């Protein structure tokens, strides 16, 4: 059995109502904050290069939600791989796979890209520098923002989306 089979099996098992968005985000925080810290300690040069490539793919995918989400998902999985613990890689892959459908459905996706990119840059900088505590703190801030966006009421999402459009048109 490969890790892909494990991820698929766990996703099917947890993909129903038992795995609420709040539960998934809570599990993600329990895993990904220590993952970021361990990655800063255990990463190799190859991990840093791959994380940088994925960040560039996210930057290039800003106008393509699916491409952005794919690169973002791969970034988090690569971060888990950088810990050197394959169990964390499989667990991370499972959680981000389950969250993927919620992220695709975000109506204000484009307005959240600058914050997402800033978060990922901070995580990568701390991991690259081997700064464990800073990597964990950057991940914690990133996940707090993601949770806020995912739990925002639909009316607030629409209002923020409209405000984001006005803001971006003023900058041009």
């Amino acid at each position: 059995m490969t890790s892909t089979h494990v991820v698929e099996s766990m996703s099917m098992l947890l993909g129903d109502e038992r795995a609420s968005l709040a539960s998934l985000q809570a599990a993600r925080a329990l895993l990904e904050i220590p993952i970021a810290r361990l990655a800063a300690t255990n990463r190799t040069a190859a991990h840093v290069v791959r994380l940088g490539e994925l960040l560039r793919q996210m930057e290039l995918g800003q106008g393509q939600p699916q491409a952005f989400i794919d690169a973002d998902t791969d970034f988090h999985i690569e971060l888990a791989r950088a810990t050197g613990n394959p169990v964390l890689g499989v667990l991370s892959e499972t959680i981000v796979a389950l969250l993927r459908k919620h992220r695709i459905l975000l109506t204000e996706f484009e307005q959240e890209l600058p914050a997402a990119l800033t978060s990922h840059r901070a995580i990568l900088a701390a991991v690259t520098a081997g700064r464990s505590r800073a990597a964990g703190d950057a991940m914690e801030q990133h996940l707090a923002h993601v949770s806020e966006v995912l739990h925002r009421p639909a009316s607030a999402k629409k209002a923020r989306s409209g405000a984001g459009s006005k803001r971006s048109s003023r900058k041009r």
Side-chain angles (χ1 to χ4, degrees):
M1 183 174 255
T2 66
S3 65
T4 303
H5 292 112
V6 173
V7 170
E8 288 173 359
S9 297
M10 288 179 69
S11 294
M12 283 190 284
L13 178 66
L14 296 172
D16 62 14
E17 295 305 313
R18 290 177 286 175
S20 71
L21 186 57
S23 296
L24 288 170
Q25 277 300 111
R28 187 176 182 200
L30 285 171
L31 279 174
E32 290 204 55
I33 294 167
I35 281 172
R37 289 186 178 125
L38 279 171
T41 303
N42 299 336
R43 89 281 184 258
T44 65
H47 291 121
V48 171
V49 168
R50 179 70 179 135
L51 288 165
E53 290 170 355
L54 292 166
L55 181 58
R56 282 186 290 285
Q57 288 176 20
M58 288 168 49
E59 291 167 344
L60 294 171
Q62 290 182 71
Q64 305 164 337
Q66 190 63 52
F68 184 93
I69 290 170
D70 289 345
D72 184 0
T73 298
D74 290 345
F75 182 95
H76 287 271
I77 294 168
E78 185 64 27
L79 199 62
R81 288 180 182 142
T83 67
N85 184 330
V87 174
L88 293 175
V90 172
L91 292 173
S92 178
E93 193 172 345
T94 301
I95 289 175
V96 295
L98 289 166
L99 284 168
R100 176 185 219 97
K101 65 182 176 184
H102 295 288
R103 296 170 68 207
I104 291 170
L105 296 175
L106 283 176
T107 57
E108 77 286 4
F109 181 83
E110 289 184 19
Q111 287 75 27
E112 297 304 328
L113 294 182
L117 287 168
T118 298
S119 296
H120 286 83
R121 285 183 194 113
I123 294 165
L124 179 56
V127 167
T128 300
R131 296 179 56 224
S132 180
R133 175 169 276 174
D137 291 348
M139 181 61 77
E140 185 172 14
Q141 291 172 2
H142 172 59
L143 294 177
H145 178 76
V146 169
S147 288
E148 186 271 322
V149 169
L150 290 174
H151 293 95
R152 195 179 292 152
S155 59
K157 289 178 184 178
K158 288 179 185 174
R160 182 176 167 105
S161 179
S165 298
K166 289 176 189 172
R167 233 181 291 127
S168 62
S169 63
R170 277 187 240 144
K171 289 180 181 176
R172 292 180 188 160

